[in-house]
Amino acid sequence: MSGQVTYAGRKGLWDWLTTVDHKKIGILYLIAGGIFFLLGGLEAILIRIQLMYPNYDFVGGSTFNELITMHGTTMIFLAAMPIIFALMNAVVPLQIGARDVAYPFINALGFWLFFFGGLLLNLSWFLGGAPDAGWTAYPPLSSGHDFSDQGVDFYVIGLQIAGIGTWIGGINFLATIVNMRAPGMTYMRMPLFTWATFVTSLLILFAFPAITVSLVLLMFDRLFGANFFDVNAGGNVIIWQHLFWVFGHPEVYILILPAFGIISEVVSTFAKKRLFGYSAMVFATVLIGFLGFMVWAHHMFTVGMGPIANALFGVATMLIAVPTGIKIFNWLFTMWGGQIRFTTANLFATGFIPTFVMGGTTGVMLSVPPADYQYHDSYFVVAHFHYVIVGGLVFGLFAGLYYWWPKMFGKKLNETLGKWNFWLFFIGFHLTFFPQHFLGLMGMPRRVYTYQADTGLDLGNFISTIGAFGMGLGTIVLLINIIVSIRKGEPAGADPWDGRTLEWAIPSPAPEYNFAQTPLVRGLDALWTEKMSGNGKMLPAEPLGEIHMPSPSVLPIIMSIGLFIAGFGFMYHNIPVIIGGMAITFICMIIRSLVDDHGYHVKPKELEDGEKGVKA
Amino acid sequence: MVKRWQHVWRLLALTIVTALTLTGCGDPTLSALIPSGPVAEEQLTLIKLSLFIMVGVIAVVMFIFAYVIIRYRQKPGQTGIPEQVEGNTKLEIIWTVIPIILLFILAVPTVMTTFTLAKDYSEEEGAVNVKVTAHQFWWEFEYPDLGVATAQDLYIPTGKKIMFQLTSKDVVHSFWVPSLGGKTDTVPGLVNKMWLQADKEGVYQGKCAELCGASHALMDFRVVAVSPEEFDSWVEKMKAGPAEPTTATAQEGQQLFQQNCLSCHAVGGQGGKLGPNLTAFGDRQKLAGILENNPEVLKQWIANPAQFKEGNLMPSFEGTLSKEQIDALAEYLSGLKIR
Amino acid sequence: MATHHAVNGTLPPEPEKATLEGRNKVLGFWLFLGGECVLFGSLFATFIALRDQVNGGPTASELFQMPVVALATFILLTSSLTSVLGILAMHRNKVGQMQAWFAITVLLGLAFLGLEIYEFVEYYHHGHMLTSSAFGSAFYTLVGFHGGHVLFGVLWIALLIAQSFKKGLTLVTAPKFYVASLYWHFVDLVWVFIFTVVYLMGMVE
């Protein structure tokens, strides 16, 4: 695998399957996550059509349960997280002035594990039915064979494989940020998106093992006849709820913190101002991450924990409003006194602020346990978490996508189409989810496939469905925009937005080695600092020289396929298939240990070419 | 300036609309916004308190937001670089301290009500104890102190505390009567407690709020709140059981019931507990929680229950019983009245 | 960039941290162990919640035999010591000694696994199985997960010893031994908790 293969010499599908380049892995995450996003969106539209009219007969109860389960699972694990990872891969190493991530091989492995886990989960549609116990998969509905079909096996195995991928991806970013920062890039000079990635990765590191264990328990119950959740054999179904939410609540912050980071970058760039209260922003990010581990039981107020636990978890949850509020006001005052340009990226970022405030405030309302007895598992909760996850995270991701698209692909997305994208999605979003607050309070439980006529729920549901179509249209416009951009997008140049951070100091798309010379960072907003000092580009921290790069490897994809095969073996109780699949994975690990990767060196000549702007 | 006032008006209008929808929205037998008992009232008070605080927060944010995006948008031809402000300690302290104060105002009544609603009245004079057992997809109600059992329609006296002990036979469900109060999960292997009270006579809709299978959406029940006197007489009549059928068809139906249905369904203290107790079936507000309770629908139900409630455990009797037999059964069941 | 090969066969005093790759590996491994703590923490919490749910089967105090468990504990703790001696030898650049100490570590690990299998077979004959009760499920999952970790460690260290015969001790192989010994300490530490929570607390009641 070693040798002097150059970047330009590797092309085509094989290159994509074997790449360990974080920028290419970012694009792979974006494509795979994007496809799953469309799938989850389609499921959402089908859900909304079924709920358009009372007693409507479109898909029926059991298919509806499959749709809601797959919609939630897909959107959280297979769409939102991968697209976050796409942006983290594309941007974080550039923002800290690194040539690469800490573990390029592990990074690729993380992607392929996620991909094959997601694939396995979605194959359930064709192999006897999708999981139908909700994305939270509460036992015994999910554990007892009397109550659920084989679909839940796909949930257990698919999420387990994808989860391991996410987990090692998180470790990779932690080590990258700790060890690979350029000279002068101190922690308190890191861009907010990098900070958010750091805290998010910490949350991934400590939260994902909890769901690994929950899934193991569920798998053992379902496949090997264990009794964790079998009440008749001494099991306890509440264990799942605790373990799931010990993971699940940090997961919510794993999703939203990167969005906070993106918004901080976009708002500051397009207001032409440095971020207001940078230190407070960093502090708030860390505090939110920390508190995120203390409040999991607020998802379980109605489960019978008693008033002491309910009151404690309720008040702890309220506290999170404080650092979140700090962030909101800091964004507002970043824009205060600026020269705000409303590009599409900034439209999404500014649209995020009021939307997220609404989602955050309903979050505080939900933290009041006695009131939560009414909200819990009603459409009020559905409205709340879509306000934070769509109005928060997805708006943030769209902002980030429009913002960093030029850096990832070298071309801008079309601004006119972008504006259509924003307004359709924004209006559609509020139309969909605002009425749901009231539907919940008016007595509509969550996850119902229908409702009775003349119960006051017709109008709200109808409006909600119309709104969902609007969001669908907005997404289609985004797709068209992407196609248009690939066909005949405007070349972006290195710094299309008058950027402030390091990623805008290098060509778009970034060359394989990112920085020909490692930059010297002399202040917060490293590039902006140099722009203000008059030289407009980064000072090098090292002389021009040969750059060492890691070799591509086919092992990550083969290892993931091994686990994918073993997963089917587990589901169908086929021991040879289990052994075969696991053997593939372990043999790859042994090869990886035995064969040293010497990598290859990029020659100075290529370097010079790179500097002149020849596309790598 | 004109534009700014437009925003203020818009905000005001929005607040009024919100307030209006809050005071009278939804079906009065189903909506948490139209409380009919002290628990739901306390909860609505907390909902309103938190909502008003939060609307205040949203208003402040929206005002600054609107001002900023209008006042500081880049003007055509504008050049130069805005001042690079690092922060402002005074402002940052303000927006840290004020939320803490607001949360404190919210936290005190929150904690107090959390404990009030968790009180156990099972031993108290005058309180009515009810044991609720949830099944896929129906509700079993027992009055352990009164020696009465029923299903689907829960009878309670007004003005009295009803102390529930909730559990489940199969998966996790959640017991929710929005207009009387919030929900509590019914968890297999555990017994949860909760109290509710109805101040007004009436029929309130109950829901299952935790995903429990294909017919989760159809797992409705009714709470029938009657005066204490009427409740006492209902209990007496339930103990006595329904009157014997008088017509020949109904008598045939009774025989068929004893041959085919008694292993799962009980009438007047006799029979199994796998399905709903049918002692006062003719009084039911709804058939199976969702359908109109008349003999015609009942016949269709008996013939093929799955067409109405997917995944319920009752077998189809289309092949087992003739059409005439089903008619007789329906006539017998519809006549099981005590009120 | 740091080079991969030791120059003239002389290694710096801490070869595992001499290169960026090495430092990344060590840092990442500590992070990995942090996550593993949550993993075992969750398994311990599950076990504690379910340890009295024997479903009519044998209880912990009826099952557990102190001599076997104490012997297993002694073996595993000793193996932790031998792996430390291996790393000390590595720091003194004594390849042969290092290989020997790690080989002893592997043998002790295998002995531990042998005892564990013996123990599980005994329990099986007493009707204590994964499927017999919630206690059984929690016990075999927790102790089995640890056993799986021991097995993985044994295979991993054996593989490292094998490749060290060919490659010797370099800036590439040194971090591998270092993190493998970190892993081994962690697995031992988990066992100390299992010994306390599962066995000692089980036998007291």
Side-chain angles (χ1 to χ4, degrees), chain C residues 17-35:
Chain C
K17 291 173 190 159
T19 61
L20 178 62
E21 284 80 1
R23 285 195 298 278
N24 281 345
K25 209 167 252 179
V26 174
L27 171 68
F29 209 80
W30 276 108
L31 295 171
F32 167 82
L33 294 181

Side-chain angles (χ1 to χ4, degrees), chain A residues 415-431:
Chain A
E415 280 291 314
T416 316
L417 284 171
K419 271 156 202 165
W420 276 98
N421 178 188
F422 170 74
W423 286 111
L424 278 169
F425 200 83
F426 185 81
I427 294 169
F429 166 79
H430 284 282
L431 219 50

Side-chain angles (χ1 to χ4, degrees), chain A residues 92-104:
Chain A
V92 168
L94 308 184
Q95 282 197 331
I96 61 173
R99 290 244 165 75
D100 205 340
V101 292
Y103 320 112

Side-chain angles (χ1 to χ4, degrees), chain C residues 89-171:
Chain C
M90 181 183 93
H91 281 166
R92 280 182 279 116
N93 208 3
K94 299 261 168 54
V95 185
Q97 275 185 28
M98 182 191 81
Q99 286 161 341
W101 283 122
F102 275 110
I104 295 172
T105 307
V106 168
L107 289 177
L108 290 172
L110 284 173
F112 172 86
L113 282 176
L115 279 178
E116 188 151 80
I117 290 165
Y118 163 77
E119 192 196 345
F120 283 5
V121 172
E122 282 291 300
Y123 296 159
Y124 182 82
H125 290 310
H126 286 93
H128 178 54
M129 290 169 273
L130 182 81
T131 52
S132 62
S133 66
F135 166 56
S137 306
F139 172 84
Y140 284 107
T141 306
L142 171 61
V143 182
F145 245 72
H146 175 267
H149 273 69
V150 174
L151 177 65
F152 184 85
V154 162
L155 296 174
W156 181 19
I157 296 175
L159 184 71
L160 289 184
I161 296 172
Q163 60 177 296
S164 74
F165 280 106
K166 191 170 166 235
K167 296 178 186 169
L169 193 58
T170 66
L171 290 177

